């Protein structure tokens, strides 16, 4: 892949907003689907694993927990790998890891071995695919980025609706070992998606620019300067609080229905309703977020989505029958889809393309801690009280709190500080534009001569304008 160490991304290249970007979007759709749906789809094999190894349900549930922990907790490692080697090779290696983990798991003879193979190795492989795919999507789309994020995020509910019944069929026909082996083969498609992540063509470099690129080789592989951005700090804090309660209702809603006395199939159908609504909510939200008036205020739309989700949890806590849970799943699917479509779009807008690879890794690490705390603490609350109402109320309060942190923090800590300097910059730009419009052709000729002379006298300073592009194949 070349000798360039740091993968800064082609900042000197305009995002095409289409073309090969649609192939990148397709790959990101598949990667997102596998990354978020696979930990849940594996749960259909838990009963056979319990029978095979003589363990409890809580022991098998660790497989999904480890998968999610690897997906979130290895964020900084993925950032370092992307900045060192580039997106495409990292994704190709990640696809191999994901596939090999499941293949080896099909030959395991103990639950601990499955933790290490299906949990750690496959989880690491999915993480090495998920984060680079989002980085490439950010580079290929600018004006249409909200729509692209919404469409790629729709991969999660689509794959969840597809992988869960597929897993049941594989278990029935081939057992859990054959099912793991076939799923391992399916995960090789991550390598195909990685091959689609073609780097953008950088502009031709001058000799001075090449010298500057050589000087930039020692650049940090994980940029902690993002913490100097108050917007990033507020976003990370809000996202961590949100994750504490965001994933709790989908985990407990089926058990909630069973506790009310409904059949297993009828209770499981609630997740199908939630996923079906989610499929349409994400791309529609992406379209809305891309509107001219909405996009500059996307952070407030994200805050509204979180408040909507938290309020839905609070209302769901009052459900006393199946119809109430169905209504809850419909509205939760809408709000959950909005959050899924906007969370990375808002982060991209806050930190920009250059720092996104480091920022997303650090955010996912912070969210990993919350993911490990949220559902288990909700389970302890349920054991202590025996009532699902309190679980849903706490989840709703946590998500609503995160929305207030993001909205109020953005309004008071960011907007007020940046408003005045931003206005001065705009005023200066307008003055320059006005002056350039008023210039005569003779003035323009004089300016062009001065510019040419300046470029000849100071070639090194001119070279700094061109930024270091992404490593090309």
């Amino acid at each position: 892949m070349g000798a360039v160490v740091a993968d800064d991304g082609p900042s000197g290249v305009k995002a095409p907003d289409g073309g090969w970007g649609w192939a990148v979007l397709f790959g990101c759709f598949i990667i997102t689907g596998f990354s978020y749906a696979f930990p849940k789809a594996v749960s259909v094999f838990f009963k056979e694993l319990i029978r095979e190894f003589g363990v409890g349900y809580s022991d098998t549930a660790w497989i999904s927990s480890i998968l999610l922990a690897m997906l979130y907790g290895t964020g900084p490692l993925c950032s370092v790998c992307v900045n060192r080697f580039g997106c495409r090779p990292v994704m190709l290696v990640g696809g191999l890891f994901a596939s090999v983990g499941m293949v080896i798991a099909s030959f395991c003879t103990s639950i601990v071995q499955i933790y290490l193979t299906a949990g750690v190795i496959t989880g690491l492989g999915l993480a090495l695919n998920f984060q680079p795919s989002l980085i490439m999507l950010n580079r290929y789309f600018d004006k249409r980025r909200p729509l692209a994020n919404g469409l790629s995020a729709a991969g999660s509910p689509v794959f969840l609706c597809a992988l869960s019944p597929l897993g049941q069929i594989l278990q029935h026909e081939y057992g859990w070992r054959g099912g793991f082996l076939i799923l391992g083969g399916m995960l090789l498609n991550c390598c195909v998606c990685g091959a689609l992540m073609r780097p953008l063509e950088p502009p031709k470099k001058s000799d001075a620019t090449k010298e500057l690129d050589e000087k930039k080789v020692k650049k940090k592989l994980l940029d902690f300067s993002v913490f100097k951005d108050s917007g990033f700090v507020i976003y990370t804090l809000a996202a961590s609080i949100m994750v504490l309660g965001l994933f709790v209702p989908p985990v407990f809603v089926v058990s909630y229905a069973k506790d009310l006395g409904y059949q297993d199939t009828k209770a499981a159908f609630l997740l199908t309703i939630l996923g079906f609504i989610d499929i349409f909510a994400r791309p529609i939200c992406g379209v809305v977020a891309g509107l001219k008036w909405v996009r500059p205020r996307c952070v407030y739309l994200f805050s509204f989505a979180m408040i909507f989700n938290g309020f839905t949890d609070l209302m769901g806590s009052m459900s006393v029958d199946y119809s109430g849970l169905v209504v809850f799943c419909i509205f939760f699917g809408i709000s959950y889809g909005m959050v899924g479509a906007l969370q990375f779009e808002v982060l991209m807008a806050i930190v920009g393309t250059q720092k996104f690879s480091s920022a997303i890794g650090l955010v996912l690490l912070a969210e990993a801690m919350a993911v490990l705390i949220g559902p288990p603490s909700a389970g302890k609350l349920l054991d202590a009280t025996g009532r699902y109402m309190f679980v849903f109320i706490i989840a709703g309060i946590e998500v609503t709190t995160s929305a207030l942190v993001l909205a109020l923090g953005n309004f008071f800590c960011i907007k007020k500080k940046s408003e005045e300097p931003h206005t001065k910059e705009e005023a200066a730009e307008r003055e320059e534009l006005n002056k350039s419009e008023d210039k005569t052709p003779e003035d323009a000729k004089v300016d062009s001569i001065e510019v040419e002379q300046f470029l000849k006298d100071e070639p090194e300073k001119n070279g700094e304008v061109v930024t270091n592009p992404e490593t090309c194949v």
Side-chain angles (χ1 to χ4, degrees):
M1 278 289 293
V4 178
V5 175
D7 180 17
D8 289 334
S11 58
V13 182
K14 184 180 179 182
D17 276 309
W20 190 256
W22 298 117
V24 173
L25 174 59
F26 176 73
C28 193
F29 174 88
I30 294 176
I31 294 298
T32 303
F34 274 127
S35 299
Y36 278 115
F38 201 80
K40 302 170 187 174
V42 171
S43 62
V44 301
F45 298 96
F46 284 176
K47 286 187 177 180
E48 280 207 17
L49 293 176
I50 292 171
R51 190 182 306 112
E52 176 89 12
F53 300 116
V55 295
Y57 185 84
S58 59
D59 296 318
T60 57
W62 272 103
I63 300 172
S64 297
S65 298
I66 293 172
L67 276 167
L68 285 173
M70 293 299 295
L71 181 64
Y72 282 88
T74 56
L77 173 63
C78 296
S79 296
V80 170
C81 291
V82 168
N83 290 334
R84 176 63 178 84
F85 302 105
C87 292
R88 179 184 274 177
V90 171
M91 292 183 68
L92 291 174
V93 172
L96 289 175
F97 269 56
S99 176
V100 167
M102 291 302 294
V103 171
I104 297 177
S106 66
F107 298 98
C108 289
T109 56
S110 70
I111 194 69
V112 176
Q113 292 175 357
I114 293 181
Y115 292 160
L116 296 175
T117 53
V120 176
I121 298 177
T122 298
L124 177 60
L126 291 175
L128 291 174
N129 274 274
F130 177 62
Q131 189 171 319
S133 67
L134 290 176
I135 294 170
M136 289 302 296
L137 191 70
N138 182 37
R139 292 175 182 172
Y140 267 88
F141 288 91
D142 181 21
K143 293 181 180 178
R144 295 178 177 175
R145 194 177 64 202
L147 174 61
N149 274 303
L151 290 173
S152 66
S156 174
V158 169
F159 271 62
L160 182 60
C161 292
L163 287 178
S164 293
L166 176 62
Q168 291 175 348
I169 294 172
L170 293 177
Q171 176 183 314
H172 182 265
E173 296 292 331
Y174 306 103
W176 72 269
R177 294 185 184 275
F180 274 26
L181 190 64
I182 293 172
L183 289 176
M186 291 178 61
L187 285 173
L188 282 174
N189 286 293
C190 293
C191 295
V192 179
C193 296
L196 293 175
M197 304 299 165
R198 186 174 68 191
L200 288 169
E201 290 294 332
K204 294 183 179 180
K205 301 179 184 179
S206 63
D207 294 336
T209 307
K210 291 179 181 177
E211 291 177 4
L212 288 170
D213 287 344
E214 292 176 0
K215 294 178 182 178
K216 291 180 180 179
V217 167
K218 296 182 180 180
K219 184 175 179 177
K220 293 179 181 179
L221 295 178
L222 190 60
D223 189 0
F224 288 98
S225 65
V226 291
F227 285 106
K228 296 179 181 179
D229 186 348
S230 57
F232 172 77
V233 174
I234 292 170
Y235 177 90
T236 304
L237 178 61
S240 300
I241 298 172
M242 175 189 71
V243 171
L244 283 173
L246 184 65
F247 299 122
V248 170
V251 172
F252 289 95
V253 68
V254 175
S255 300
Y256 193 177
K258 291 179 181 179
D259 204 49
L260 292 175
Y262 296 100
Q263 296 178 354
D264 291 357
T265 54
K266 198 171 183 180
F269 186 67
L270 291 171
L271 283 182
T272 305
I273 296 173
L274 192 156
F276 182 76
I277 298 296
D278 194 5
I279 291 173
F280 297 98
R282 297 191 184 215
I284 292 174
C285 184
V287 173
V288 173
L291 296 177
K292 187 176 181 180
W293 185 86
V294 177
R295 191 171 185 185
R297 302 166 180 83
C298 200
V299 64
Y300 297 110
L301 180 61
F302 185 40
S303 300
F304 168 76
M306 290 191 288
I307 290 176
F308 184 15
N309 186 270
F311 183 75
T312 303
D313 292 342
L314 296 175
M315 294 297 102
S317 66
M318 293 184 264
S319 300
V320 293
D321 55 14
Y322 190 78
S323 59
L325 291 176
V326 169
V327 173
F328 163 75
C329 286
I330 291 173
F331 284 97
F332 186 87
I334 296 172
S335 60
Y336 189 74
M338 291 176 67
V339 171
L342 293 171
Q343 58 179 339
F344 296 118
E345 165 61 25
V346 172
L347 179 60
M348 290 175 186
I350 290 173
V351 301
T353 302
Q354 293 301 298
K355 294 185 178 181
F356 181 70
S357 60
S358 296
I360 188 175
L362 296 170
V363 167
L364 289 176
L365 178 61
E367 290 183 351
M369 302 175 186
V371 165
L372 292 176
I373 295 173
S377 60
K380 288 185 177 180
L381 178 63
L382 180 61
D383 292 336
T385 62
R387 299 187 65 183
Y388 287 89
M389 180 181 72
F390 297 113
V391 172
F392 279 66
I393 289 175
I394 294 297
I397 291 174
E398 289 168 344
V399 178
T400 304
T401 301
S402 67
L404 296 176
V405 169
L406 182 63
L408 297 178
N410 181 77
F411 184 79
F412 290 107
C413 300
I414 301 174
K415 186 176 180 181
K416 296 295 182 182
K417 290 182 180 179
S418 61
E419 186 173 3
E420 188 175 348
H422 184 66
T423 306
K424 288 181 179 178
E425 289 177 4
E426 285 187 346
E429 288 179 1
R430 287 176 182 174
E431 286 180 6
E432 290 180 3
L433 287 172
N434 292 333
K435 288 179 182 178
S436 63
E437 288 177 357
D438 295 337
K439 282 182 180 179
T440 61
E442 289 79 7
D443 294 333
K445 290 180 181 178
V446 172
D447 287 346
S448 64
I449 294 172
E450 290 177 355
V451 169
E452 288 177 4
Q453 186 63 34
F454 175 76
L455 296 179
K456 291 178 182 177
D457 293 340
E458 300 185 11
E460 291 183 1
K461 291 183 179 180
N462 181 57
E464 292 177 0
V465 176
V466 183
T467 53
N468 185 28
E470 180 181 358
T471 306
C472 292
V473 177

